[in-house]
Amino acid sequence: MAYQLYRNTTLGNSLQESLDELIQGSLNTYRFCDNVWTFVLNDVEFREVTELIKVDKVKIVACDGKNTGSNTTE
Amino acid sequence: MPSAPSRAPRPLAYWVIPQLPTADPLPMDEETETYLELYLDQCAVQDDFVPPRSPLFSPVVPYVYTPNPSNPETTFNSHLESKETSGNFSSVDLSFLPDELTQENKDQAVIRSKHETEENSETQSQQSRLPLPSGQDVGPGSDSSSLSNSRSHLHPGDANSIQSAPAKPNCNSSPLASITPMTPMTPVSECCGIVPQLQNIVSTVNLACKLDLKKIALHAKNAEYNPKRFAAVIMRIREPRTTALIFSSGKMVCTGAKSEEQSRLAARKYARVVQKLGFPARFLDFKIQNMVGSCDVRFSIRLEGLVLTHQQFSSYEPELFPGLIYRMVKPRIVLLIFVSGKVVLTGAKERSEIYEAFENIYPILKGFRKA
């Protein structure tokens, strides 16, 4: 799946899904470098069965890993 | 691939289109409409005349406009540049002039004679001479589109004041010039107002400095860099919505824009991002490499028939791909034609090539209309 994304961009015919997300959703920025994804989202709702948390800004840092990706929020 | 006809059609007489004022930057989203309005205004003036159509594989020679704008980088004016011109009116066969609507057969004869004269008198010049498209000579069963042709090839102009004339449609000074059809900037196709819409523009530019891709990926917003996968930074901006591939050599590819100006603007924005990161970026050799357009003819098409009669240009393997791949020779455009009537045109370096290719294919497609 990840390869498909790159295949599209190398052909220059990217669907720009990321930008679609930007326009429609709350994704502010994204970054991928050294196999680490960094996302910044705005106006996010974290919903759990019991509670609901609303946040103005969320930064998600994610890496590949066999065990777990690391996630931090601020 | 058939040998190109020994006599390519050449214009006999030309419309002179007054040049759009280049000093007046068109807002990007209104650009197409402004061109269209200008064209349609001029069409309305010349409603009586019907130019003959060019044969398919030697399609309508595109128009010629007043001299290029002083800014050579204005790509959206690129279709205004002259492609082929001829200044010799003396041997023009004007027998087609009256009663265009019923002139189909005459057009054929006229086309042939025109081809010969056109050939002799072809010259390249900066004068905004418009080629006279030769008559229609399309596939089997093509009904007359003489009537419809009128819309797509009419354009008033002053035959004499070609050059640097202000953008102001003038009445023709001579009946000869007034007849000359011209492919407008945004041609109305064949009596149906179908104009291919640009969907994607791919362009390249040289920032002329070595780039540290990792630094760019770390500091720029909306950037991806996975050197194991692809040796470039993939960056996106929202307005105009585009994607850029930025290489360490300093070269950049910009894709996804819907117009020439948007592509250029987007490329400039990417260059600015790179510049703000501390690199001495410049903006050299911006060039549009490919333009993709699409439209809908609104009727079903018999692709089998089309591939049989145009086998030199077509390839249709429904088991591989549901669309027929039509490789037009002139202009050199590839069209994907689908049964539904949707057409994709690609391979153009200029907007006019897309329009021209569609103008050429439409009558053929009409001939293969289902039921």
Side-chain angles (χ1 to χ4, degrees):
Chain A
M1 183 77 129
Y3 299 135
Q4 277 177 5
L5 169 67
Y6 285 109
R7 196 175 299 142
N8 274 341
T9 53
T10 52
L11 283 175
N13 288 327
S14 162
L15 288 177
Q16 295 161 323
E17 290 159 3
S18 304
L19 272 178
D20 287 339
E21 228 176 306
L22 273 166
I23 292 169
Q24 298 161 16
S26 56
L27 178 66
N28 193 327
T29 60
Y30 64 88
R31 174 176 293 122
F32 180 68
C33 196
D34 292 330
N35 276 321
V36 176
W37 279 102
T38 306
F39 300 99
V40 176
L41 290 82
N42 292 112
D43 299 325
V44 182
E45 241 178 45
F46 290 95
R47 188 163 295 168
E48 204 188 349
V49 185
T50 49
E51 61 185 83
L52 175 68
I53 304 168
K54 288 200 181 173
V55 166
D56 280 343
K57 179 181 170 188
V58 172
K59 180 184 258 187
I60 297 175
V61 181
C63 342
D64 278 348
K66 277 191 181 169
N67 300 326
T68 44
S70 69
N71 287 274
T72 58
T73 57
E74 58 180 85
Chain B
M1 186 89 158
S3 59
S6 55
R7 334 156 280 166
R10 292 291 179 262
L12 287 185
Y14 308 87
W15 286 127
V16 173
I17 288 191
Q19 183 184 11
L20 288 185
T22 56
D24 176 21
L26 299 172
M28 270 179 299
D29 44 354
E30 289 172 30
E31 161 184 291
T32 305
E33 278 156 38
T34 308
Y35 286 170
L36 192 55
E37 280 166 13
L38 187 71
Y39 164 63
L40 288 175
D41 285 345
Q42 292 166 330
C43 265
V45 175
Q46 294 297 332
D47 249 348
D48 300 330
F49 302 111
V50 180
R53 291 276 292 155
S54 61
L56 178 68
F57 33 78
S58 305
V60 170
V61 179
Y63 41 86
V64 175
Y65 291 93
T66 51
N68 295 335
S70 54
N71 178 3
E73 295 178 323
T74 311
T75 52
F76 70 82
N77 274 329
S78 59
H79 55 279
L80 298 180
E81 293 171 28
S82 67
K83 294 191 181 172
E84 286 185 54
T85 63
S86 163
N88 186 354
F89 288 97
S90 59
S91 48
V92 170
D93 179 355
L94 299 178
S95 59
F96 67 96
L97 286 182
D99 297 330
E100 297 321 302
L101 307 186
T102 59
Q103 275 280 316
E104 234 188 326
N105 296 334
K106 272 195 198 176
D107 284 347
Q108 301 281 349
V110 169
I111 296 160
R112 284 190 283 278
S113 65
K114 273 218 217 55
H115 283 183
E116 286 158 351
T117 47
E118 282 169 348
E119 248 191 323
N120 300 333
S121 58
E122 176 189 5
T123 45
Q124 279 277 350
S125 80
Q126 274 299 325
Q127 308 217 345
S128 327
R129 298 293 185 158
L130 293 176
L132 175 67
S134 2
Q136 170 155 26
D137 168 27
V138 214
S142 72
D143 341 328
S144 135
S145 19
S146 315
L147 176 61
S148 51
N149 287 334
S150 64
R151 306 269 319 204
S152 54
H153 293 287
L154 293 183
H155 221 107
D158 184 351
N160 300 322
S161 69
I162 301 160
Q163 304 313 340
S164 348
K168 188 174 69 168
N170 295 322
C171 282
N172 300 321
S173 56
S174 70
L176 184 78
S178 64
I179 298 310
T180 311
M182 180 170 76
T183 311
M185 284 185 280
T186 51
V188 179
S189 166
E190 297 292 307
C191 93
C192 57
I194 302 179
V195 179
Q197 298 303 307
L198 291 181
Q199 302 293 347
N200 182 26
I201 307 224
V202 178
S203 58
T204 56
V205 72
N206 185 4
L207 304 179
C209 65
K210 293 280 174 254
L211 301 176
D212 180 352
L213 296 187
K214 188 147 166 194
K215 181 180 175 195
I216 293 178
L218 283 174
H219 291 90
K221 290 188 174 182
N222 304 322
E224 297 165 47
Y225 180 46
N226 192 359
K228 288 185 304 188
R229 190 74 204 126
F230 187 56
V233 167
I234 299 152
M235 194 183 301
R236 294 183 176 87
I237 57 174
R238 299 176 212 222
E239 184 53 50
R241 192 150 70 88
T242 49
T243 301
L245 308 177
I246 305 174
F247 294 84
S248 54
S249 62
K251 297 216 170 131
M252 179 170 78
V253 179
C254 174
T255 69
K258 300 282 191 196
S259 83
E260 303 91 322
E261 261 316 288
Q262 283 188 8
S263 191
R264 191 187 178 80
L265 176 66
R268 283 203 180 267
K269 288 191 177 181
Y270 289 114
R272 199 182 326 142
V273 170
V274 170
Q275 206 173 53
K276 283 190 176 164
L277 288 175
F279 299 95
R282 295 165 63 197
F283 199 76
L284 300 184
D285 306 323
F286 175 82
K287 183 179 175 201
I288 290 186
Q289 302 289 352
N290 185 29
M291 300 173 73
V292 180
S294 71
C295 56
D296 184 2
V297 300
R298 303 174 108 85
F299 53 79
S300 296
I301 304 173
R302 288 180 283 117
L303 298 184
E304 264 308 324
L306 180 55
V307 72
L308 284 174
T309 49
H310 289 78
Q311 59 205 30
Q312 315 134 312
F313 310 104
S314 319
S315 93
Y316 177 45
E317 296 284 342
E319 295 176 8
L320 288 183
F321 185 65
L324 184 150
I325 301 165
Y326 192 107
R327 297 180 187 274
M328 193 175 287
V329 174
K330 195 176 182 300
R332 203 167 132 259
I333 298 284
V334 174
L335 299 89
L336 305 179
I337 305 167
F338 297 87
V339 174
S340 61
K342 300 274 199 311
V343 179
V344 175
L345 307 92
T346 184
K349 288 277 196 288
E350 296 182 7
R351 183 188 284 251
S352 58
E353 293 175 7
I354 298 268
Y355 293 149
E356 195 186 329
F358 184 67
E359 290 286 301
N360 292 339
I361 202 76
Y362 188 74
I364 297 180
L365 296 182
K366 277 203 297 193
F368 288 98
R369 185 176 192 145
K370 264 193 199 174

